[in-house]
Amino acid sequence: DLDALPVELTQEALPAETQLTVSGKEVEHFDSAGALALHNFLKALQKHGKTLELIDFSERQRELLTLVQSKNGILEYQVPPPPH
């Protein structure tokens, strides 16, 4: 659920560990919007000094994430407002 990703990370909300593991084990659907949201989330973590390891992502998911990362600065994702 893309809307569940934090919009803004604060230092207080982050774990104290500098090395974080992000697992794709439970990911059932992963499209370009999901890859872009994950990319932005990972960038925000890295901005706070976190080192990341991605595990349990399929080859297709990794390729899609790599494609999105290669378009950094061109693509942008905004969490849509809640429905009325």
Side-chain angles (χ1 to χ4, degrees):
D1 182 12
L2 295 178
D3 299 337
L5 284 176
V7 174
E8 183 177 320
L9 296 174
T10 63
Q11 195 65 38
E12 297 81 29
L14 295 173
E17 296 84 5
T18 56
Q19 174 69 37
L20 302 177
T21 301
V22 179
S23 173
K25 187 175 185 176
E26 300 292 323
V27 176
E28 294 179 15
H29 305 285
F30 194 72
D31 59 10
S32 58
L36 185 55
L38 178 60
H39 168 68
N40 290 342
F41 181 67
L42 297 175
K43 266 184 22 181
L45 289 171
Q46 290 171 330
K47 191 188 237 181
H48 286 282
K50 305 301 180 184
T51 303
L52 306 165
E53 177 186 13
L54 299 179
I55 62 168
D56 300 322
F57 284 89
S58 71
E59 182 177 344
R60 181 188 165 282
Q61 291 168 332
R62 286 181 179 274
E63 288 173 353
L64 189 53
L65 184 58
T66 299
L67 176 63
V68 166
Q69 289 170 331
S70 74
K71 304 299 179 190
N72 188 29
I74 298 172
L75 300 173
E76 189 174 311
Y77 173 78
Q78 299 289 327
V79 175
H84 293 74

